[in-house]
Amino acid sequence: MSSNDTHPSDEVDAADAPNLQQRLMAEGHERAEGDFCSICFLPIEIPIGHHSLMKVCCVKTVCKGCIFAARQRGINDNCPFCRAPLPHDDAASLAMVQKRVDKGDADAMMFLGNEYYSSGHGFAKDVPRAIELWTAAAELGSIDAHHQLGETYYRGDGVEEDKPRGIHLWQQAAMKGHAHSRCNLGLIELNEGNDEVALQHWMISAKMGHATSLNIIKTVFMNGHATKAQYAEALRGYGNAMQEMKSPQREEAKRLGM
């Protein structure tokens, strides 16, 4: 991580809070690099895991539109990005991922942590191991790892609950363009009675294509806590973001239920 990044275990100094709040609103308005398809370079629809696949051979995220296009060209048994033969069982998949983990690949660490957390690929659920891998990935700059660690500490899932630490991790992710973390920050501000700050967070994430944030803005508008102009602005921003994510291949993949 660069000298300007914060270690995932660092806590926020109260004296830095105003500056942090200013940075939160000024930074992270654009999707992070990891949210883009490695082949077509278009931002991937949120939630990314529903609209793309991570290829274990190269640990690259490929949208389903590009996977569909590759299959049309007869590329079925090879990775559409690196052209390596696709693994045919869990053991081969995990061996590929572990090789990338051993080389210090943050995305591979994030993926393997998810597998330990969700009992994927035949693993027994092991939250401490997942946290260890996510922490290593966060230290290498993974904003997805910051977000997931935030979820874990905020909710006390497998670790002692530490809400301030969870919030801080979400703040770090939000400033790097993580829409879901920003949405969570909005909910926290709402619970603290800071309606305007909450709305600012949701406006930013809605304009990044985060449907949940847009739906929350709609609800607060209907309840009289957001203006018609603000809701219209959020709708336009969300629509523009969705338009940027479209391609003929992605639309066809959706039509076919990929």
Side-chain angles (χ1 to χ4, degrees), residues 1 3 5 8-9 18 57 63 127 135 147 159 203 224 233 236 249:
M1 300 176 72
S3 60
D5 289 328
S9 63
C57 44
C63 75
V127 177
T135 300
H147 170 76
V159 293
M203 291 289 285
E233 181 184 345
R236 284 194 302 272
Q249 293 81 10

Side-chain angles (χ1 to χ4, degrees), residues 30-38 42 44 60-61 143 176-177:
E30 302 293 332
R31 301 279 296 277
E33 182 180 347
D35 289 0
F36 290 72
C37 173
S38 297
L42 292 175
I44 301 169
K60 296 295 184 182
T61 300
I143 66 168
K176 298 293 184 182

Side-chain angles (χ1 to χ4, degrees), residues 140-193:
L140 290 169
S142 169
I143 66 168
D144 287 329
H146 275 84
H147 170 76
Q148 191 57 55
L149 285 168
E151 294 277 354
T152 302
Y153 284 106
Y154 188 83
R155 306 185 196 291
D157 185 5
V159 293
E160 184 177 353
E161 181 183 292
D162 189 341
K163 290 189 183 301
R165 186 177 186 181
I167 292 169
H168 179 57
L169 286 157
W170 284 336
Q171 289 170 335
Q172 295 299 308
M175 288 188 290
K176 298 293 184 182
H178 198 281
H180 195 168
S181 289
R182 189 172 288 280
C183 181
N184 287 350
L185 294 176
L187 292 172
I188 289 165
E189 293 289 354
L190 181 69
N191 290 336
E192 293 291 326

Side-chain angles (χ1 to χ4, degrees), residues 106 108-120 123-138 144-146 148-149 152-153 157-159:
M109 293 173 184
M110 181 66 196
F111 177 86
L112 192 57
N114 289 346
E115 296 306 289
Y116 275 107
Y117 180 78
S118 63
S119 306
F123 282 135
K125 188 179 179 76
D126 188 342
V127 177
R129 177 59 177 150
I131 292 172
E132 180 183 352
L133 285 160
W134 290 334
T135 300
D144 287 329
H146 275 84
Q148 191 57 55
L149 285 168
T152 302
Y153 284 106
D157 185 5
V159 293

